[in-house]
């Protein structure tokens, strides 16, 4: 790893990874962060493994041009399908969302039945099944691809009482409840915005946010390696592959607070 005050390089298919940045900033306010959102190619969740891997390697190549101490794959789809390719090509510590959320789910469930809500690509990869099996070999995992949730959240449909989002959530959640799950992983960057609604609809279910779990695990590891930043405050830079203004318009919804840095559009080869 590089020095304590080097950047943490975070990337996502677009804007959703800001829920991970938000959790990192909340738990480690002095970390310096470079964020790359591949807004020209979002969504990743409907694409093939080959295509997502190609984009992901471009994302990491860009981040690696900065002085970074770790890479955070802040996208469940990218982490599920392309993590191995990143680890094979880069000699940098790579953190993700799938493993920390799986560990937390395996530790939380009482009856061993865990539901995963995620994009089509994440569910098809079975990355969550494999990760949960590492922590609890007897757990039963029930995947639910939820393709309507990302577009609905991006169109502002995440407020409690919104009949559209509540109806769609019930359509995805009810089959998981029928299977008897007691724990559900929000296995997509956008779903933490739906956490309050889901808790309201299913108060008896344990809800695990992959964004929060990822930030907690990152903190634990940086502490362990004595690599937490010693800076006062946080230097943050944001880069996107499509229009910076559209990113900015939506960014605060995902961050819940100011970004704390400028957004710049870049061309990747
Ligand atoms: N960031 C993606 C994920 O967490 C959701 C958006 C997309 O499909 O690109 O899976």
């Amino acid at each position: 790893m590089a020095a304590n005050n080097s950047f943490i390089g975070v990337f996502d298919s677009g804007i959703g990874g800001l829920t991970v940045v938000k959790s990192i900033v909340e738990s480690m306010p002095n970390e310096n962060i470079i964020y790359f959102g591949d807004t020209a190619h979002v969504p990743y969740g409907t694409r093939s493994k080959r295509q997502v891997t190609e984009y992901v390697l471009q994302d990491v190549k860009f981040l690696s041009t900065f002085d970074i101490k770790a890479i955070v794959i802040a996208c469940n789809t990218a982490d599920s399908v392309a993590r191995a390719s990143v680890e094979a090509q880069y000699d940098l510590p790579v953190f993700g969302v799938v493993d920390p959320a799986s560990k937390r789910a395996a530790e939380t469930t009482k009856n061993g039945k865990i539901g995963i809500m995620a994009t089509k690509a994440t569910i098809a990869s079975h990355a969550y099944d494999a990760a949960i099996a590492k922590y609890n070999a007897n757990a039963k995992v029930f995947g639910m691809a939820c393709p309507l949730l990302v577009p609905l959240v991006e169109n502002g449909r995440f407020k409690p009482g919104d009949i559209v989002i509540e109806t769609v959530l019930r359509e995805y959640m009810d089959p998981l409840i029928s299977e008897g799950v007691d724990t559900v992983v929000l296995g997509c960057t956008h779903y933490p915005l739906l956490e309050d609604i889901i808790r309201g609809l299913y108060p008896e279910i344990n809800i695990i946010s992959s964004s929060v779990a990822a930030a907690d695990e990152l903190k634990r590891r940086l502490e362990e390696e004595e690599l937490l930043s010693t800076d006062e405050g946080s230097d943050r830079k944001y880069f996107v592959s499509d229009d910076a203004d559209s990113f900015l318009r939506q960014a605060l919804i995902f961050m819940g607070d100011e970004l704390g840095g400028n957004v710049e559009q870049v061309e990747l080869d």
Side-chain angles (χ1 to χ4, degrees), residues 12-13 42-45 75-77 119 122 150 188-190:
D12 173 53
S13 54
V42 70
Y44 284 2
C75 172
N76 284 263
T77 304
T119 64
T122 298
V150 165
C188 172
T189 49
H190 289 53

Side-chain angles (χ1 to χ4, degrees), residues 232-244:
E232 302 258 322
S234 157
D235 184 7
R236 285 178 235 154
K237 301 181 199 300
Y238 298 84
F239 296 92
V240 287
S241 49
D242 202 349
D243 183 47

Side-chain angles (χ1 to χ4, degrees), residues 4 19 60 74 79 99 151 191:
N4 293 56
T19 59
V60 180
D79 194 23
D99 201 82
Y191 304 173

Side-chain angles (χ1 to χ4, degrees), residues 114-117 142-144 146 171-182 184:
I114 300 169
I116 309 294
M117 297 172 79
F142 302 89
M144 178 57 72
C146 308
E171 184 168 322
Y172 293 139
M173 284 285 291
D174 283 352
L176 296 175
I177 302 301
S178 298
E179 296 289 359
V181 305
D182 69 351
V184 167

Side-chain angles (χ1 to χ4, degrees), residues 150-225:
V150 165
L152 281 171
V153 168
E154 292 200 351
N155 282 286
R157 311 304 291 260
F158 51 80
K159 309 221 168 61
D162 182 322
I163 186 100
V164 174
I165 193 69
E166 290 192 357
T167 305
V168 174
L169 278 172
R170 280 186 207 279
E171 184 168 322
Y172 293 139
M173 284 285 291
D174 283 352
L176 296 175
I177 302 301
S178 298
E179 296 289 359
V181 305
D182 69 351
T183 301
V184 167
V185 176
L186 306 181
C188 172
T189 49
H190 289 53
Y191 304 173
L193 275 78
L194 302 172
E195 193 169 333
D196 288 347
I197 307 184
I198 299 174
R199 281 188 199 284
L201 294 176
Y202 303 94
E204 71 288 2
I205 301 297
N206 303 305
I207 308 292
I208 310 291
S209 159
S210 54
S211 302
V212 174
D216 290 349
E217 173 61 14
L218 177 67
K219 183 176 185 189
R220 191 188 69 72
R221 284 283 304 283
L222 291 178
E223 259 167 6
E224 199 173 272
E225 313 267 346

